Amino acid sequence: MSMENTKRLENNQVKVSLQNDEEGFIGRECPGASCLGYFKIQLGTGLIGQDLPCHCPYCGFSAGQDQFCTQEQIEYAQSVAVRTVSEALFKDLTSSFKRLEVKPQGPFSIGLKVTVEGKFEPLKYYREKQLETEVICSHCTLRYAIYGVFAFCPDCGEHNSLQILEKNLDLCLKEVELAEQSGDPTLAGHLIPNALEDAVSAFDGFGREMCRVHADKIGDPSKAKQFSFQNLLGVRDSIRAHWGFDFSASLAPDEWQFACRCFQKRHLLAHKMGIVDEAYVRNTADATAAVGRKISIKPEEVRSLVTILRRLGTALSNGLRTIP
């Protein structure tokens, strides 16, 4: 039987190409059984080299690039391989039996003709999913997309928490600029307090994520989930107790006091409609504040807070990363 078409399959292998989506991304799936997180990367960005590992942006699991194909991609590739081999076999069988065709030679002779019929399994097509956040890694420039916000870079493994903090703080400054340019005192009175709240929330989210990522460096990792960075004094003591360093040491005493006062102002905005209470006066010694009146927040305060939070974020990131 002729096997010409089957032999054309190079080294008995079938090559299958996976297509990028409309924005140039290709899907990946963490092979870790406890994760299986889906994400996308843009080929041609990021690190350049052979046999580079891939890192799951969610759990940090690292393995070869070929281990991160999605289940849908695997099923598609298998269906293409089966179809390709089936078509080659079909052509070989058809060609072989055609040569075996025997035509009747006389009035009483019998002819023989074999017809090869078959039905191919349909290809299992797939479509990459839409994700929530696109990131360009500030370390290796890989462009990738994830669910959520925080992630490890799939190429270099760098966590993006500090990068996300920087972007969120930039947005806070834009809120202040918009307030100043609006010429509307009512709008400014809304946007400037919002900018301060957003800055505190951005730092809180960043700090919690950093503690989660480095939770395995303390005796009881579950405690890392309990830290709130909305209370700077409390979380400074917790970081010092569990990780052994003081991230507030990156600031002068008056800068640290200023940051703590801003965080107390955020508490009033979130829980007291911005009205000063006795606890605020007692905790901050703010001579400009009067109990029962609205707290004052100026644009320069937000700008100064953003500058301080950038330094605190860098100090926290460096301190946690350098702990073995």
Side-chain angles (χ1 to χ4, degrees), residues 306-321:
V306 165
T307 299
I308 287 174
L309 291 182
R310 292 189 200 277
R311 289 165 57 190
L312 283 177
T314 300
L316 180 64
S317 177
N318 291 340
L320 290 173
R321 287 176 17 165

Side-chain angles (χ1 to χ4, degrees), residues 216-321:
D216 59 345
K217 297 178 180 180
I218 63 177
D220 184 359
S222 64
K223 290 185 177 180
K225 299 178 181 180
Q226 303 170 12
F227 300 154
S228 170
F229 282 76
Q230 294 179 11
N231 181 346
L232 280 182
L233 289 172
V235 80
R236 179 185 64 175
D237 293 341
S238 297
I239 296 294
R240 185 187 292 159
H242 292 285
W243 280 281
F245 72 96
D246 184 356
F247 70 95
S248 71
S250 60
L251 302 179
D254 61 326
E255 291 175 320
W256 174 252
Q257 185 180 23
F258 171 79
C260 290
R261 185 185 305 127
C262 287
F263 274 56
Q264 289 287 329
K265 287 187 176 185
R266 179 264 167 199
H267 179 80
L268 293 180
L269 292 169
H271 303 289
K272 301 289 184 176
M273 295 292 292
I275 304 301
V276 175
D277 59 12
E278 293 181 357
Y280 173 82
V281 175
R282 182 175 61 252
N283 293 332
T284 66
D286 185 351
T288 66
V291 174
R293 296 187 180 182
K294 292 186 68 174
I295 192 67
S296 172
I297 301 173
K298 299 178 180 179
E300 54 266 28
E301 286 185 89
V302 179
R303 291 193 178 94
S304 296
L305 178 62
V306 165
T307 299
I308 287 174
L309 291 182
R310 292 189 200 277
R311 289 165 57 190
L312 283 177
T314 300
L316 180 64
S317 177
N318 291 340
L320 290 173
R321 287 176 17 165

